[in-house]
Amino acid sequence: MHSDKVLHSLLERPFGPYLDETVLSDRCRFVPSKRLLLENFMLACNDEPTGFDHIEFDGDFVPSNVMHLAPIQNRSPVLFRGVLSILALAHLSERGIQYLNHDFQERVTRSALNGVQSTKQYQSLDLGALFALKSKQKDIPEAEQLKIKVIIQGYMHSMASFMRSDVAPNGLLIHTRNTNKDRFRNYQVVSMDVETYKLSRTFLFRHHTLRTLRDILISYSCGVPVFKRTPEWFLDQYLLGFAYPPHSKWCRINSLEDVESSEEDSGNTQDQMSIPRPDDAQTHRLRQLRTVHRNEVWSIFASHSEWIFSLIQTHKDLKGKVDAPAWGLFLMQVPQLRQKALLDEDTDGKWGLKDEQKGGYQNAQSNASKGHKQKSPSTHPVVPTKPSTTVTMTASSSKAPTAVSSEEHLDNIYDSDFSQASLSPTSFHAGSALPYAATINSPSPPDPELYTLIPPEMLTAPTLPVDMLWHCPVGGGSCPYVINLCAPTDNNLGLIQALVPHEDIIHLLSKDWKCNDDQVMMIFYEMVNVHWEDHLKELDIKYVRRAAASTFEWIHPQRHKPWPPKRWKIMRARRQQLELDVKQESPDF
């Protein structure tokens, strides 16, 4: 009997790449019961990485993150690539079977030459025998079943469908063509390459917003005249029926199979029995969702206001179905609202950013250089900071790509599995989580001119992707600095020589660790800190680490306005004197 472990190792890496029309047969078609799912999806044009933001929009609606790229010409082919799991031998063409048989035997031979035991027994094994073995594994867990994956590449045919297709209503569907430029095959994308995702975020955000507007119309427009379907009406309906989805109350963000919270069985048992628990619930106890603020929804409407208004004028889903004049008036007010939010300390310049793109600090930086002062307490409603989000495509074909906030563990959903002590923020994040929350008793209130310049990405703990490849997010992803913990460069290691013990670096290079290794994570945070200090130096800012409280300071304070203000110093001196007088008058016990 064949050794499953060795066979799994031989099939672990996908075969290819192959052209889809060459290796796939006509029977390999997308149907709702057997979807063609692409993992690690990527796009390219003219030998450069690209994304849906670049190929789906033109004219005035080109997203800001791709405006620096040259427009794609009409005749320039857009290529795609992704990893596809072959579900049946019939899905491969004759040439495809020949290619895979040849590549599998080549892999077996190479493994045998490398000294892997029990490999020679597979030299007579072909795809027919592999699929015969696979067909006998229906009763074992999916993770233990044999998987035959190939890297498929081809040409995009037309616009992608995100959350619009009847066969994949919550997914991203792409349409491809063959060499004759005929529409050829459909695929559903379940995960993206990081470069393609960076150039696709606005496409995903915009169409997710459009889907929400469509769902609100379907659910609540009956009996409501068109002239009442204003932006305020959509906001009210969202808060009424969409802000608190019932299934989210039974979801755990860090859900792991066969792992339960230590507090899952605590609480009032009688109350739990009175609430029906779904079969697919990830928790035993109902979660308390955070309150969604109205201005968070306004922020998203403002981010996509220009594009939404264009759809109201031309798109079949919105044209004639909403109050166009009210949306036009809202669009006219958006620039003024963005400017107010940019100078308001409650929003820190993050409210209503166009296309929900990070980088609002760059505008604040230019305003600060022109002499703008920190705004006094505003008269317009307080707008809370909207957490920066990134979209991750779920592996399940039944789910849509979902937006996951880097701060959602603490702010969005109450979950007993998380605690402050379980986080490992960088010293930047730990020392400046509330830069504006200064009190009269602090050594010095934060300088608003200084904090306006600090990139907001530095005030949030960095997240290490599962592939251990971290790209610096400063500047909206324009910084080329990369940390690969599996293969750190001399530059990565040289920056932390004086901060990290030599034995810890040896431990990192040995690769004898897991992704949750505390030593490795601390090395990662130090690498990020040292690199971010280089960004701060360009702004004439330094990060000062102190035992009591770390802070940001000017490198050359003489080049900037004096801080703190003289009035603050007088108030602090008076308060200290008052406290001293009270202490002297108090009797000793």
Side-chain angles (χ1 to χ4, degrees):
M1 185 176 178
H2 297 300
S3 173
D4 287 343
K5 186 175 181 180
V6 175
L7 188 55
H8 275 282
S9 66
L10 290 172
L11 299 176
E12 183 178 5
R13 291 181 293 109
F15 297 93
Y18 311 111
L19 193 63
D20 65 338
E21 63 180 289
T22 301
V23 300
L24 300 181
S25 68
D26 293 337
R27 296 182 62 180
C28 185
R29 292 291 177 182
F30 186 99
V31 293
S33 59
K34 292 184 179 181
R35 308 182 184 198
L36 303 182
L37 307 178
L38 285 183
E39 302 175 73
N40 197 29
F41 177 79
M42 59 184 71
L43 290 170
C45 183
N46 298 325
D47 297 327
E48 294 290 338
T50 188
F52 291 110
D53 291 353
H54 195 200
I55 67 177
E56 296 282 344
F57 302 111
D58 54 17
D60 296 334
F61 303 109
V62 174
S64 55
N65 62 318
V66 295
M67 292 186 67
H68 64 286
L69 301 176
I72 296 178
Q73 303 300 323
N74 291 334
R75 295 187 178 182
S76 298
V78 177
L79 287 80
F80 78 91
R81 174 182 285 190
V83 178
L84 175 70
S85 292
I86 304 299
L87 303 179
L89 185 63
H91 289 180
L92 294 171
S93 64
E94 291 185 5
R95 292 180 64 184
I97 293 175
Q98 293 175 1
Y99 288 157
L100 262 71
N101 276 328
H102 174 271
D103 291 351
F104 176 73
Q105 293 302 326
E106 189 178 69
R107 190 173 291 184
V108 170
T109 302
R110 189 182 301 114
S111 181
L113 292 175
N114 289 335
V116 178
Q117 298 179 355
S118 306
T119 303
K120 294 183 179 180
Q121 60 182 312
Y122 300 111
Q123 290 180 346
S124 60
L125 199 67
D126 59 8
L127 282 183
L130 282 175
F131 277 99
L133 286 173
K134 182 177 174 63
S135 64
K136 299 177 182 179
Q137 297 181 325
K138 296 180 180 180
D139 297 331
I140 68 174
E142 184 179 356
E144 300 177 11
Q145 295 180 13
L146 294 176
K147 292 182 177 64
I148 301 172
K149 296 185 177 183
V150 295
I151 300 176
I152 293 296
Q153 58 187 25
Y155 302 93
M156 294 288 291
H157 175 71
S158 61
M159 296 180 67
S161 300
F162 180 46
M163 306 186 81
R164 293 187 53 82
S165 172
D166 293 335
V167 293
N170 296 319
L172 173 58
L173 207 65
I174 65 164
H175 317 288
T176 68
R177 64 175 174 86
N178 55 23
T179 51
N180 296 326
K181 298 186 179 180
D182 298 325
R183 183 159 175 163
F184 189 56
R185 186 177 279 112
N186 297 334
Y187 296 96
Q188 183 175 343
V189 177
V190 294
S191 64
M192 277 189 185
D193 174 77
V194 63
E195 294 298 328
T196 296
Y197 164 70
K198 287 180 180 179
L199 300 177
S200 302
R201 293 178 68 235
T202 300
F203 170 82
L204 299 171
F205 285 153
R206 285 180 178 179
H207 282 275
H208 199 285
T209 303
L210 174 60
R211 167 64 180 271
T212 302
L213 296 178
R214 289 170 50 219
D215 289 347
I216 290 174
L217 285 173
I218 293 172
S219 301
Y220 297 106
S221 63
C222 183
V224 179
V226 172
F227 70 88
K228 289 188 176 181
R229 299 172 192 171
T230 62
E232 293 84 353
W233 179 83
F234 275 92
L235 186 148
D236 291 339
Q237 307 315 308
Y238 177 82
L239 294 176
L240 176 65
F242 293 84
Y244 309 103
H247 68 272
S248 294
K249 297 180 180 180
W250 297 99
C251 291
R252 187 190 303 147
I253 297 176
N254 66 334
S255 176
L256 298 174
E257 282 191 42
D258 302 325
V259 176
E260 294 186 353
S261 167
S262 58
E263 300 181 13
E264 279 293 293
D265 296 327
S266 63
N268 193 320
T269 306
Q270 186 174 357
D271 292 343
Q272 296 297 321
M273 293 177 62
S274 64
I275 303 174
R277 180 176 178 271
D279 294 335
D280 59 347
Q282 297 174 344
T283 67
H284 294 295
R285 187 176 60 182
L286 197 67
R287 300 297 179 184
Q288 179 63 43
L289 303 183
R290 75 175 180 94
T291 301
V292 178
H293 199 287
R294 293 176 65 88
N295 280 311
E296 291 183 82
V297 187
W298 276 126
S299 177
I300 295 178
F301 282 173
S303 294
H304 306 293
S305 55
E306 295 88 349
W307 186 69
I308 291 175
F309 188 66
S310 72
L311 298 181
I312 292 173
Q313 295 174 308
T314 60
H315 199 279
K316 64 178 182 178
D317 287 341
L318 299 181
K319 184 178 181 181
K321 299 180 181 179
V322 304
D323 185 3
W327 280 92
L329 180 62
F330 172 64
L331 174 62
M332 294 173 61
Q333 296 172 341
V334 166
Q336 183 181 5
L337 293 174
R338 284 174 177 163
Q339 184 64 24
K340 286 183 178 180
L342 183 64
L343 301 176
D344 191 274
E345 64 181 27
D346 294 310
T347 67
D348 199 21
K350 296 178 182 178
W351 184 90
L353 291 178
K354 188 173 182 180
D355 300 329
E356 299 189 60
Q357 293 289 343
K358 289 185 179 182
Y361 77 96
Q362 294 174 341
N363 294 330
Q365 189 173 348
S366 62
N367 287 336
S369 65
K370 295 177 183 177
H372 286 69
K373 297 182 179 180
Q374 187 73 17
K375 192 174 183 286
S376 59
S378 59
T379 57
H380 66 278
V382 174
V383 184
T385 300
K386 178 182 183 297
S388 58
T389 59
T390 59
V391 177
T392 57
M393 315 292 280
T394 64
S396 171
S397 61
S398 62
K399 297 182 181 179
T402 55
V404 179
S405 167
S406 60
E407 298 180 1
E408 193 170 15
H409 299 155
L410 293 178
D411 299 331
N412 289 7
I413 297 179
Y414 169 75
D415 196 319
S416 60
D417 298 328
F418 286 91
S419 63
Q420 186 66 30
S422 67
L423 299 177
S424 299
T426 64
S427 51
F428 280 119
H429 184 255
S432 57
L434 296 173
Y436 290 100
T439 66
I440 197 69
N441 290 320
S442 63
S444 175
D447 187 341
E449 179 187 358
L450 182 149
Y451 274 94
T452 299
L453 299 179
I454 296 175
E457 294 87 353
M458 293 188 183
L459 303 180
T460 303
T463 302
L464 183 63
V466 293
D467 61 358
M468 298 293 170
L469 194 64
W470 181 83
H471 296 257
C472 178
V474 172
S478 59
C479 177
Y481 187 78
V482 176
I483 296 175
N484 184 355
L485 282 184
C486 295
T489 64
D490 293 339
N491 183 32
N492 297 146
L493 298 174
L495 296 174
I496 61 170
Q497 291 284 356
L499 301 172
V500 177
H502 184 63
E503 55 268 21
D504 288 355
I505 296 179
I506 294 177
H507 175 64
L508 172 68
L509 296 177
S510 70
K511 300 182 181 180
D512 186 21
W513 44 265
K514 297 182 180 180
C515 59
N516 59 348
D517 190 295
D518 290 340
Q519 284 180 277
V520 173
M521 291 306 298
M522 290 311 302
I523 293 175
F524 164 67
Y525 291 135
E526 289 296 347
M527 288 181 179
V528 174
N529 279 349
V530 175
H531 169 67
W532 278 352
E533 286 176 354
D534 291 338
H535 280 297
L536 290 176
K537 288 178 183 177
E538 297 173 357
L539 303 172
D540 195 36
I541 298 173
K542 62 182 178 180
Y543 182 70
V544 182
R545 311 184 189 205
R546 296 189 178 96
S550 301
T551 185
F552 297 99
E553 296 179 1
W554 294 116
I555 297 176
H556 303 95
Q558 66 275 14
R559 300 178 184 176
H560 306 275
K561 295 179 181 180
W563 188 265
K566 184 178 180 180
R567 178 172 56 87
W568 184 91
K569 293 181 180 179
I570 295 174
M571 291 176 61
R572 185 172 186 272
R574 288 177 179 175
R575 184 180 181 88
Q576 289 177 338
Q577 184 61 45
L578 178 62
E579 292 176 349
L580 181 61
D581 294 342
V582 171
K583 184 177 181 180
Q584 290 176 347
E585 294 175 1
S586 300
D588 295 331
F589 294 99

